């Protein structure tokens, strides 16, 4: 199994992906400009972690599945698991993870996860397939957590914004003690547009449980931008440590535990249940317009 990240390339971009967490480490333009955050721990050591089997926190960092109960830190354990390189060519790579004695100590299911990073022209797709190899239905949450440069290359000193393709004004939620309260706040979007400012994140992430749609643009009006599409990812969060030089654009299918809820994973907002033998696929795609 390789220790160093695997490198793949598209027409104008390249990426590297590490076995640890099957996490993308770099996304660069042909002239070497970084689009992905480089993981400086002074701000945040992550780059593009995969969140499974929970998104966000659980109360007291404990979860339950039926009678099974265990401790679990924010965003689950997969981001710290070592994957196996299953396939690779110049434009794509596929890493896989299967259950083991180690995973069954914290997650009582036989399961498989396949993570594929693949270029098609100027577009990178990151796709995850989760399979239930157990005899029982498997409840879980899933999410992506990629962080992108703010400002984008060539856009220093310019105002950045998020523009939703559906033009919506989705209601916003804010976490309380890391958990999701029932209250919804007015949307910060106007006709699908949100002008970004660092002080918007002083109260932690901006979370949009519903209505943000399946595509958005992040960047400068009329200037450098990243265009995203999402599959099977109905929830969206935007996050940074206030003042950090990156923005996380996080599409999810699942959320932090609700305030006052039980530790049962099946009761978490937007959790899903995968039948025995079934597979669920999630993906995001990004195209750089620089």
């Amino acid at each position: 199994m390789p220790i160093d990240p695997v490198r793949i390339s598209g027409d104008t971009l390249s990426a590297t992906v590490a076995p640890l967490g099957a996490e993308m480490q770099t996304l660069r333009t042909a002239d070497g400009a970084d689009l992905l955050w480089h993981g400086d721990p002074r701000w945040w050591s992550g780059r593009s972690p995969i969140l499974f089997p929970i998104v966000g926190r659980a109360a007291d960092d404990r979860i339950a599945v039926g009678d099974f109960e265990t401790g679990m830190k924010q965003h689950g354990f997969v981001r710290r698991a070592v994957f196996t390189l299953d396939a690779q060519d110049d434009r794509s790579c596929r890493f896989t993870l299967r259950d083991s004695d180690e995973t069954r100590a914290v997650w009582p299911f036989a399961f498989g996860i396949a993570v594929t990073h693949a270029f098609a022209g100027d577009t990178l797709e990151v796709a995850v397939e989760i399979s239930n190899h157990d005899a029982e239905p498997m409840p879980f949450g899933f999410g992506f957590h990629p962080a992108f440069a703010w400002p984008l290359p060539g856009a220093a000193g310019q105002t950045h914004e998020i523009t939703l393709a559906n033009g919506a004004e989705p209601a916003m939620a804010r976490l309380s003690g890391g958990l999701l309260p029932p209250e919804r706040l007015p949307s910060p979007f106007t006709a699908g547009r949100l002008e970004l400012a660092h002080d918007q994140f002083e109260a932690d992430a901006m979370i949009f449980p519903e209505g943000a749609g399946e595509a958005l643009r992040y960047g400068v009006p009329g200037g450098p931008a990243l265009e995203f599409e999402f599959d099977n990812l109905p929830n969206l969060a935007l996050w940074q440590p206030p003042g950090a030089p990156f923005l996380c654009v996080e599409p999810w299918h699942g959320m932090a535990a609700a305030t006052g809820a039980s530790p049962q994973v099946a009761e978490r907002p937007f959790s899903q249940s995968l039948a025995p033998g079934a597979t669920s696929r999630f993906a995001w795609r990004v195209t750089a317009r620089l």
Side-chain angles (χ1 to χ4, degrees), residues 87-175:
Q88 178 190 3
D89 57 32
D90 291 344
R91 287 182 170 262
S92 67
C93 61
R94 183 175 187 265
F95 284 90
T96 57
L97 178 72
R98 292 292 300 264
D99 61 281
S100 63
D101 291 343
E102 183 178 6
T103 67
R104 283 189 290 272
V106 294
W107 187 241
F109 291 96
F111 69 93
I113 300 179
V115 181
T116 301
H117 292 72
F119 281 104
D122 295 326
T123 299
L124 172 68
E125 180 182 75
V126 184
V128 172
E129 293 181 333
I130 297 175
S131 301
N132 181 6
H133 301 308
D134 211 271
E136 300 293 331
M138 182 175 72
F140 68 97
F142 176 81
F144 293 102
H145 198 320
F148 300 94
W150 181 5
L152 287 170
Q158 300 183 61
T159 298
H160 287 50
E161 66 179 23
I162 297 286
T163 306
L164 303 177
N166 65 1
E169 298 177 356
M172 183 175 67
R174 294 281 196 182
L175 298 176

Side-chain angles (χ1 to χ4, degrees), residues 28-234:
R28 293 190 173 118
T29 64
D31 60 2
D34 280 307
L35 301 178
L36 195 72
W37 169 241
H38 50 66
D40 184 340
R42 290 178 297 175
W43 289 104
W44 182 56
S45 62
R47 303 182 190 216
S48 184
I50 290 167
L51 317 181
F52 175 89
I54 63 171
V55 175
R57 284 197 57 198
D60 301 319
D61 291 328
R62 296 196 67 79
I63 63 163
V65 180
D67 294 332
F68 178 90
E69 187 170 343
T70 188
M72 187 166 291
K73 296 294 187 181
Q74 182 176 8
H75 296 324
F77 64 87
V78 162
R79 59 183 175 154
R80 297 185 178 92
V82 177
F83 283 64
T84 299
L85 181 62
D86 187 60
Q88 178 190 3
D89 57 32
D90 291 344
R91 287 182 170 262
S92 67
C93 61
R94 183 175 187 265
F95 284 90
T96 57
L97 178 72
R98 292 292 300 264
D99 61 281
S100 63
D101 291 343
E102 183 178 6
T103 67
R104 283 189 290 272
V106 294
W107 187 241
F109 291 96
F111 69 93
I113 300 179
V115 181
T116 301
H117 292 72
F119 281 104
D122 295 326
T123 299
L124 172 68
E125 180 182 75
V126 184
V128 172
E129 293 181 333
I130 297 175
S131 301
N132 181 6
H133 301 308
D134 211 271
E136 300 293 331
M138 182 175 72
F140 68 97
F142 176 81
F144 293 102
H145 198 320
F148 300 94
W150 181 5
L152 287 170
Q158 300 183 61
T159 298
H160 287 50
E161 66 179 23
I162 297 286
T163 306
L164 303 177
N166 65 1
E169 298 177 356
M172 183 175 67
R174 294 281 196 182
L175 298 176
S176 176
L179 304 180
L180 187 71
E183 296 82 15
R184 296 293 179 263
L185 303 173
S187 181
F189 286 89
T190 300
R193 179 179 175 271
L194 169 62
E195 185 175 303
L196 294 166
H198 293 289
D199 62 6
Q200 293 166 332
F201 301 95
E202 291 177 355
D204 207 338
M206 292 190 284
I207 297 173
F208 304 95
E210 298 176 308
E214 299 177 346
L216 63 80
R217 181 185 187 273
Y218 160 60
V220 174
L226 302 177
E227 296 176 353
F228 295 88
E229 295 178 338
F230 310 125
D231 295 342
N232 196 22
L233 297 162

